[in-house]
Amino acid sequence: ALPISPAGAALTAAGLGLAALGGGRRAMRVAVPLAASVWAYDTVLKPTPAGPVAMAACRTLDVLLGAGLETRRALTAAAAVGVHTLGVTALSTGEVHGANPATARAALTTSCVATTLALTGPARGGWHRAASMAAGSGYAGLVGRAQADAVRDPSAKSVRSATKSGIHGMVPLQAAVTAKGSVLGAVLVAAALPIARKLSRKVSPT
């Protein structure tokens, strides 16, 4: 286990305080387990088989915390992000020595599930549904293609490429969710993808 960082403890306390100020007890019901999940992942679980599950929990709770009073309505979106994170994180463990083909297949399956979850639920109108479908298709193509390559060739190089695509894929996945309520919001979210790709040429996202 890693030692407790004073800076990390201070930032965690600040985050919990802001959550309490912004959302009261309702927000704290999510913020406390989120903080616990982050600490568990960073200090103990990251190098263990439970690491991907812990990271997925962090991402899921992060979405729910941001949902505020709309926690129930955000459950599907949170599940989409969590499932996506689970697959990408599990596959990323093979970046150095390659992955087990079964892990690569499981990651591809989680991306299919994440796509379905992102597109599930009501949309404000036809254009919103169309925009959501477009972003969801972009996510499935970007992430699914790279993960399918990793299934065929689970070498370290293929796994690193799939992991990179998985990290970038968080953008169109979130755009697909956002588009059901706001097309403009989805466009703004999607605009982060070319920026992320450009930056990844200088600093690896993995």
Side-chain angles (χ1 to χ4, degrees):
L2 295 176
I4 296 177
S5 164
L11 289 171
T12 301
L16 291 173
L18 290 172
L21 287 174
R25 291 183 179 180
R26 182 186 292 269
M28 292 300 286
R29 293 193 195 107
V30 180
V32 171
L34 172 57
S37 298
V38 170
W39 275 92
Y41 177 80
D42 285 340
T43 60
V44 179
L45 299 177
K46 184 176 181 178
T48 72
V53 176
M55 175 55 79
C58 292
R59 295 296 187 186
T60 300
L61 291 168
D62 183 49
V63 174
L64 293 178
L65 181 61
L69 298 177
E70 302 296 331
T71 300
R72 290 187 178 181
R73 293 181 60 184
L75 286 174
T76 303
V81 172
V83 169
H84 166 79
T85 302
L86 177 64
V88 172
T89 308
L91 186 59
S92 72
T93 59
E95 286 188 280
V96 177
H97 302 293
N100 185 307
T103 302
R105 286 193 293 270
L108 181 58
T109 299
T110 60
S111 294
C112 293
V113 174
T115 302
T116 302
L117 289 169
L119 300 178
T120 298
R124 287 182 60 186
W127 284 110
H128 297 79
R129 177 63 67 189
S132 180
M133 291 291 292
S137 297
Y139 163 76
L142 173 64
V143 180
R145 187 182 300 111
Q147 290 178 342
D149 289 341
V151 171
R152 290 189 292 269
D153 172 28
S155 64
K157 181 179 180 181
S158 294
V159 170
R160 284 194 298 271
S161 178
T163 301
K164 179 179 178 180
S165 294
I167 293 171
H168 288 165
M170 186 72 81
V171 176
L173 178 65
Q174 291 176 324
V177 172
T178 304
K180 291 185 290 185
S182 171
V183 174
L184 177 59
V187 170
L188 293 175
V189 171
L193 182 57
I195 298 174
R197 281 179 160 175
K198 186 174 181 179
L199 291 175
S200 69
R201 298 191 186 102
K202 296 183 178 181
V203 180
S204 173
T206 63

